[in-house]
Amino acid sequence: MGFVRDDIRNVAIIAHVDHGKTTLVDGMLKQSGIFRQNEKVEERVMDSNELERERGITILSKNTAIRYNGVKINIVDTPGHADFGGEVERVLKMVDGVLLLVDAFEGPMPQTRFVLSKALELNLKPIVVVNKIDRPDARPEEVIDEVLDLFIELGADDDQIDFPVVYASAREGIAKLSLKDESVDLRPLFDTILKEIPAPEGNIDDPLQLIVTTLDYDDYIGRIAIGKVVRGKIVSGENVAICKRDGSLQNVKLSNLYQYEGLKRVQVDDAKLGDIVAVSGISDIEIGETIADPENPEAVDFVEIEEPTISMTFGVNTSPFAGREGKYVTSRHLRERLFKELETNVALRVEETETTEAFKVSGRGELHLSILIETMRREGYELQVSKPSVIIKEINGVKHEPIELVTIDIPEDYMGVVMEKMGSRKGELMDMHTLKPGTLRLKFKIPTRGLIGYRSEFLTDTKGNGIMTSIIYDYEPYKGDIPTRSRGSLVAFEAGTTTTYGLYNAQERGTLFVGPGVEVYEGMIVGENSRSDDIDVNVCKKKHVTNLRSATADEALRLSPIREMSLEEALEFIANDELVEVTPKSIRLRKKILSSQQRYKNAKYKQ
């Protein structure tokens, strides 16, 4: 039996996206007295990244700490989306227990399953928190039964199945152990954490071991490694050995040591077993490496990060408008930025291609890669990206492809159209039940290829009433051909500025993506054709001015509303011979070959 640190608890909050993790952390911070009485605190204070606040999702895992009854509780907020699962897998190595947060109406969702399976594999102690009990349609008792079923399905042992339950409303800042209890604060949750989450234990006198699970960067002090002291003690300024992933050793001197107090990093002189710390002064440390005693360097086993499932080609912007809006436009800039991303984004892979102008980037899903593109665009980069394609593996000589588990919540009226579309995309219905009168929950197994391009179609089919979430399930034998986009593109015939007159004539062909007064170039996609082939349209056509006058000729030309594309929608829309041009100010769609004559020759040559 080793040394037990009773004055500390390390816990991660895991949940499906939008079930209220970050809001719960807000409540815990406010009630623990971290902020001054008059301090202005933003909502969802842990979502510090601009994109996170905008989309209401957590992308990067973050650390904070609160004190309650003399015990320091280190809390790690994790992403709820499976595309950022690489973040979740790592940070669970830092904690001894998890708060599994579940929405009191939605119940366990695909990502709940994903994060819980990772926690159970590492044998972490779970506390189930049923959040949003103040929702008018809340059904907490049924949700607890569904969670129990999920635990059993994931092969939890008897101790894990006997989980404590806390009912909470993160927005109201209350928690209770029974629905009948009265409650005014989150104290029941704090008490449950202290009682149920095991305190860190180990050998405090043995040689140092600190596992690095996250990296941060500061403009003043450089790279910061964040991790947990697994064994022994660490002292600021001492000499340590870095156990690299490849088995080699590197001796370095630590600069500063920090611990978390609330949202701040506080400099400390030393830390011991069980503490979550940040270390500066090691310029080339990587995630998964161990900071160890130089006399007895021993590495800690690190979790294997799951492989990417989707890849895209990121290239230098070659459109006629290249360099107009971005700050970083060359292949050198693009290469440096992508390889810098690899330092902190462990689930990402970047490979060089035959040309120096393009790079193959692989990630865990469309969202994973589109968040990277959006981040780069906001930093001033210009680039062009190809359609996402799935990564096919060969297992025992048989072609295998990634399969996803999809959960769909829809009104009953749309069941037919969803079943039909999922069927044509090789989807296999696993389960179907009624959530509440008039609303169904369908569960499918479907190849990732089948989902690419379907999300925007799904929202159209369900008139915006459907909710679809998915998660990588496994690799299975290749399912055969899947029908792709059934409609062609409207392609600009020449460079110029769009006119109402030109657009009015083009809109009869399909749906437009651009309005009047927009600069376009030859080969740029300006709309979706209502038929399956591509059509060149002249959207810059001007009306001939004549001396003749007519009572009706000058009536205003009415244009239909245009369809504005978000980055994700653009990536889903494009075909294999098309690209998305991304700049800080614009998202444009274009053909890979801009010249219409050249495209015509190529098509003829292929026949």
Side-chain angles (χ1 to χ4, degrees):
M1 182 69 187
F3 173 79
V4 178
R5 291 256 344 238
D6 235 356
D7 61 338
I8 202 162
R9 298 288 187 279
N10 295 324
V11 61
I13 300 192
I14 58 177
H16 181 77
V17 62
D18 205 27
H19 278 195
K21 292 183 299 301
T22 308
T23 310
L24 182 66
V25 176
D26 276 8
M28 292 169 85
L29 284 167
K30 285 171 186 163
Q31 293 190 23
S32 66
I34 289 291
F35 304 117
R36 298 190 313 273
Q37 287 295 310
N38 60 349
E39 191 169 341
K40 184 178 182 298
V41 182
E42 287 194 67
E43 255 188 62
R44 300 201 324 277
V45 70
M46 294 287 276
D47 280 349
S48 49
N49 172 318
E50 184 188 344
L51 266 175
E52 295 182 311
R53 302 196 68 79
E54 204 172 284
R55 292 170 182 240
I57 59 171
T58 303
I59 296 168
L60 307 163
S61 57
K62 325 252 186 344
N63 302 33
T64 182
I66 58 176
R67 292 192 179 272
Y68 178 72
N69 288 356
V71 177
K72 182 179 183 181
I73 304 173
N74 283 313
I75 301 169
V76 186
D77 184 15
T78 63
H81 205 288
D83 281 18
F84 309 108
E87 292 275 327
V88 180
E89 291 170 34
R90 297 195 324 254
V91 298
L92 290 179
K93 289 287 279 186
M94 285 206 286
V95 297
D96 305 295
V98 293
L99 296 183
L100 176 70
L101 207 64
V102 187
D103 185 301
F105 168 68
E106 289 187 355
M109 297 289 275
Q111 270 79 351
T112 318
R113 176 196 183 92
F114 170 79
V115 286
L116 179 62
S117 67
K118 296 289 164 204
L120 295 179
E121 274 171 34
L122 292 169
N123 212 14
L124 299 176
K125 173 74 181 178
I127 295 173
V128 174
V129 181
V130 179
N131 191 27
K132 305 191 185 183
I133 52 170
D134 53 338
R135 278 184 70 154
D137 50 5
R139 46 184 195 100
E141 284 96 343
E142 290 169 50
V143 165
I144 291 293
D145 290 342
E146 288 174 17
V147 172
L148 183 61
D149 291 344
L150 181 61
F151 269 80
I152 294 166
E153 195 182 319
L154 292 174
D157 60 35
D158 293 351
D159 190 38
Q160 288 169 326
I161 284 176
D162 189 20
F163 51 81
V165 179
V166 179
Y167 300 95
S169 167
R171 205 173 55 179
E172 303 290 326
I174 59 166
K176 41 179 109 170
L177 299 179
S178 163
L179 287 168
K180 298 187 182 93
D181 295 350
E182 288 297 315
S183 177
V184 290
D185 55 25
L186 290 170
R187 215 167 285 168
L189 177 60
F190 290 134
D191 291 333
T192 309
I193 290 173
L194 296 196
K195 182 178 157 204
E196 300 289 347
I197 302 290
E201 62 175 271
N203 297 317
I204 201 162
D205 299 321
D206 281 6
L208 164 71
Q209 274 186 325
L210 186 153
I211 177 82
V212 177
T213 56
T214 317
L215 292 178
D216 203 351
Y217 188 82
D218 186 286
D219 289 338
Y220 298 103
I221 54 178
R223 191 180 280 200
I224 298 168
I226 300 164
K228 175 184 167 186
V229 182
V230 181
R231 193 174 76 186
K233 294 178 185 168
I234 186 167
V235 179
S236 179
E238 72 175 344
N239 290 318
V240 294
I242 308 294
C243 302
K244 296 283 191 187
R245 297 289 292 272
D246 60 7
S248 62
L249 291 174
Q250 177 190 0
N251 287 323
V252 295
K253 186 174 193 284
L254 299 180
S255 297
N256 296 322
L257 193 62
Y258 304 88
Q259 283 192 21
Y260 289 88
E261 290 291 341
L263 296 169
K264 301 181 183 76
R265 270 202 287 259
V266 180
Q267 203 165 329
V268 292
D269 294 328
D270 60 6
K272 54 192 177 188
L273 166 88
D275 281 323
I276 290 179
V277 294
V279 180
S280 67
I282 311 168
S283 59
D284 56 352
I285 192 161
E286 298 291 344
I287 285 166
E289 295 178 349
T290 305
I291 298 176
D293 184 70
E295 305 293 318
N296 297 295
E298 281 180 64
V300 179
D301 288 340
F302 191 62
V303 61
E304 280 299 312
I305 303 296
E306 287 184 10
E307 291 294 307
T309 55
I310 273 188
S311 67
M312 286 158 96
T313 304
F314 283 41
V316 175
N317 188 6
T318 56
S319 88
F321 294 172
R324 285 193 188 184
E325 298 171 354
K327 192 169 158 190
Y328 307 109
V329 295
T330 65
S331 61
R332 181 176 61 84
H333 286 134
L334 185 61
R335 187 179 191 282
E336 279 174 9
R337 178 65 183 83
L338 288 173
F339 281 95
K340 183 171 180 267
E341 184 68 23
L342 285 179
E343 294 176 4
T344 51
N345 197 336
V346 290
L348 198 74
R349 304 278 183 278
V350 178
E351 298 164 51
E352 310 258 3
T353 59
E354 293 149 16
T355 158
T356 54
E357 304 283 289
F359 302 88
K360 185 182 173 190
V361 181
S362 309
R364 288 287 284 269
E366 275 180 281
L367 186 65
H368 186 197
L369 294 177
S370 70
I371 290 286
L372 170 62
I373 297 167
E374 184 65 44
T375 307
M376 287 172 69
R377 164 183 129 109
R378 290 180 185 210
E379 288 169 3
Y381 285 83
E382 271 193 28
L383 64 154
Q384 60 190 29
V385 292
S386 69
K387 183 179 177 67
S389 60
V390 301
I391 296 171
I392 305 287
K393 276 185 183 175
E394 201 159 292
I395 304 171
N396 300 331
V398 180
K399 218 161 62 159
H400 281 62
E401 65 175 329
I403 302 288
E404 303 204 16
L405 266 186
V406 180
T407 300
I408 294 176
D409 294 350
I410 45 166
E412 280 174 354
D413 306 356
Y414 304 116
M415 184 179 113
V417 65
V418 170
M419 297 280 272
E420 183 190 331
K421 291 276 173 74
M422 291 297 272
S424 69
R425 290 166 177 267
K426 303 280 192 274
E428 202 180 303
L429 185 65
M430 309 284 288
D431 181 34
M432 178 168 89
H433 61 267
T434 306
L435 261 188
K436 61 179 183 182
T439 304
L440 290 175
R441 173 165 290 178
L442 311 174
K443 289 186 183 174
F444 290 92
K445 239 172 41 172
I446 184 172
T448 302
R449 283 181 305 135
L451 278 184
I452 294 174
Y454 176 56
R455 287 171 201 277
S456 47
E457 216 176 293
F458 169 77
L459 286 174
T460 310
D461 290 343
T462 59
K463 298 190 170 55
N465 290 308
I467 298 170
M468 177 162 76
T469 52
S470 65
I471 176 175
I472 296 292
Y473 173 64
D474 204 357
Y475 269 80
E476 287 188 3
Y478 191 74
K479 304 284 183 193
D481 289 340
I482 289 175
T484 50
R485 193 176 93 200
S486 56
R487 294 177 176 183
S489 303
L490 299 179
V491 185
F493 167 73
E494 62 180 2
T497 304
T498 56
T499 63
T500 307
Y501 184 67
L503 291 169
Y504 181 75
N505 291 322
Q507 74 180 7
E508 293 168 14
R509 304 281 190 180
T511 311
L512 293 174
F513 299 159
V514 293
V518 176
E519 273 196 90
V520 297
Y521 50 81
E522 183 188 0
M524 179 171 153
I525 296 168
V526 293
E528 181 182 40
N529 189 6
S530 51
R531 297 190 177 172
S532 60
D533 48 351
D534 296 340
I535 299 182
D536 288 334
V537 289
N538 189 354
V539 285
C540 306
K541 192 176 180 183
K542 289 189 171 70
K543 189 177 179 184
H544 289 296
V545 180
T546 66
N547 286 331
L548 294 173
R549 292 285 176 270
S550 151
T552 56
D554 291 329
E555 273 186 14
L557 300 174
R558 289 183 180 274
L559 291 179
S560 305
I562 64 166
R563 179 169 152 203
E564 286 196 31
M565 290 268 199
S566 69
L567 177 60
E568 277 91 353
E569 285 168 340
L571 291 173
E572 288 198 336
F573 175 81
I574 56 173
N576 291 327
D577 64 338
E578 296 166 353
L579 298 168
V580 178
E581 177 191 349
V582 182
T583 75
K585 293 181 184 168
S586 324
I587 292 172
R588 301 185 189 96
L589 286 77
R590 53 162 284 189
K591 287 288 181 187
K592 278 185 182 171
I593 301 168
L594 295 177
S595 159
S596 56
Q597 284 181 318
Q598 192 61 47
R599 284 201 306 275
Y600 180 68
K601 278 180 191 168
N602 277 24
K604 213 168 177 187
Y605 178 71
K606 278 180 186 171
Q607 286 170 2

